[in-house]
Amino acid sequence: MNTGIKATHRLRTATAVALATGTLCATGALAAAPAQAAAAPSVVAKGAYAMNGTNGATLFAKKADTRLSTGSTTKIMTAKVVLDQPGLNLDRKVTIQKAYSDYVVKNNASLAHLIVGDKVTVRQLLYGLMLPSGCDAAYALADTFGSGKTRDARVKNFIGRMNSTAGRLGLKNTHFDSFDGIGKGSNYSTPRDLTKLASSAMKNSVFRTIVKTRSYQAKTVTRTGSIRTMGTWTNTNTLLGSYKGAVGVKTGSGPQAKYCLVFAATRGSKTVIGTVLASSSVAQRGKDATKILDYGFARLGR
């Protein structure tokens, strides 16, 4: 056996012994293999997406650009259009109209139980919109902040502004035909677009405060001038209080939408924002979101 062959033989023998005894280190003949990255989770939702809330980098994607029905996650845009109003007065009082009540009854819609004739502030309407997902609150906001001589004209104008905002944000696969998600066949978005929308909305401090609130009780002014203490509005986002660092954002559901959730959580300096669309149940959308959040934070090193 020549010298080169002997040297190779000795190296192989030493390496085999080191591997068997666990004494091989990175400074030896072979370097230890790096830790394997966590595998992307499997989720039930038809579409899902998550991004780094700091720089917008993608953390998870499943049919991220597939157009799907949004349900009440539409109300994120409703709130954004209202909060983008120049010189917005959150204490402005809005009188609740019978049309709002008739609308939720006709559509068997989620509601904030607003009372006809009561005066409710814009701030209270936003809580009623985002926590119990009140379609009556959504109608009141669209009627109040849309432009036009008739209610129908004002609502149409408001929805037009929702779409204009989507265009300005570069949400190319998003379209609204309603102010609350009860669409007429042309109310859709994608997991990526909704996540971008939520990220934009979360830049507003009032929006951030509302969507992380677990419960809220409004005091409204009745038509006789007395104070009415409303029933407590509970946030439909079950991640709040159950997932460490959860700070929002909005649930959605419906015959076409199935079960949706736009979510966000912050741990230290890291934020993960994401969306699941068309999951199979309330419980499952929460499980899907939890898996994605865990994976996102693992990728960010938290």
Side-chain angles (χ1 to χ4, degrees):
M1 182 181 292
N2 65 36
T3 304
I5 294 173
K6 288 180 181 179
T8 301
H9 177 72
R10 286 196 298 271
L11 176 59
R12 286 174 178 169
T13 302
T15 300
V17 172
L19 287 170
T21 59
T23 58
L24 187 67
C25 65
T27 57
L30 296 177
Q36 189 174 15
S42 174
V43 298
V44 173
K46 187 173 181 179
Y49 182 78
M51 73 180 194
N52 182 334
T54 301
N55 60 18
T58 296
L59 296 173
F60 177 87
K62 175 185 177 181
K63 296 185 177 179
D65 299 309
T66 298
R67 293 178 178 181
L68 296 166
S69 179
T70 58
S72 285
T73 62
T74 297
K75 291 166 183 162
I76 297 171
M77 182 61 89
T78 308
K80 179 170 175 57
V81 170
V82 172
L83 288 167
D84 282 352
Q85 296 286 324
L88 176 66
N89 177 10
L90 290 167
D91 295 319
R92 174 183 174 182
K93 289 183 172 60
V94 176
T95 301
I96 303 305
Q97 306 295 319
K98 186 174 183 295
Y100 313 156
S101 178
D102 291 344
Y103 173 81
V104 293
V105 171
K106 177 183 177 182
N107 290 283
N108 192 27
S110 55
L111 68 164
H113 297 281
L114 300 174
I115 307 299
V116 176
D118 277 12
K119 290 181 174 59
V120 184
T121 68
V122 171
R123 187 191 309 274
Q124 291 167 339
L125 286 174
L126 288 167
Y127 275 96
L129 174 79
M130 300 303 287
L131 271 63
S133 199
C135 294
D136 45 357
Y139 197 169
L141 289 166
D143 188 17
T144 299
F145 289 100
S147 299
K149 294 182 178 180
T150 66
R151 182 173 293 118
D152 286 347
R154 291 190 291 273
V155 167
K156 182 178 180 180
N157 173 265
F158 187 89
I159 295 170
R161 288 165 61 193
M162 293 170 68
N163 286 312
S164 294
T165 302
R168 178 169 54 81
L169 293 175
L171 310 183
K172 297 179 181 179
N173 290 302
T174 296
H175 184 268
F176 301 107
D177 66 4
S178 74
F179 48 74
D180 58 2
I182 302 177
K184 303 174 183 66
S186 189
N187 204 93
Y188 57 80
S189 189
T190 68
R192 191 191 306 270
D193 276 6
L194 277 177
T195 302
K196 288 181 177 179
L197 170 60
S199 178
S200 176
M202 289 290 275
K203 293 175 182 177
N204 183 288
S205 61
V206 175
F207 185 89
R208 289 198 306 273
T209 296
I210 291 171
V211 298
K212 72 179 181 182
T213 300
R214 295 173 65 183
S215 63
Y216 180 88
Q217 192 166 49
K219 294 183 182 296
T220 63
V221 179
T222 70
R223 63 176 81 218
T224 62
S226 62
I227 302 298
R228 185 194 309 279
T229 301
M230 299 289 292
T232 300
W233 292 329
T234 302
N235 201 316
T236 54
N237 182 2
T238 57
L239 292 184
L240 296 175
S242 68
Y243 188 86
K244 181 183 176 183
V247 291
V249 177
K250 185 71 187 73
T251 61
S253 62
Q256 289 77 41
K258 304 304 180 185
Y259 297 90
C260 312
L261 178 59
V262 180
F263 53 87
T266 297
R267 293 180 178 177
S269 62
K270 311 291 178 61
T271 295
V272 176
I273 303 177
T275 299
V276 292
L277 294 179
S279 194
S280 59
S281 68
V282 169
Q284 188 60 52
R285 73 184 174 194
K287 291 177 183 177
D288 287 346
T290 296
K291 287 181 181 181
I292 295 169
L293 282 166
D294 285 347
Y295 177 69
F297 280 118
R299 289 195 59 184
L300 294 177
R302 293 293 301 183

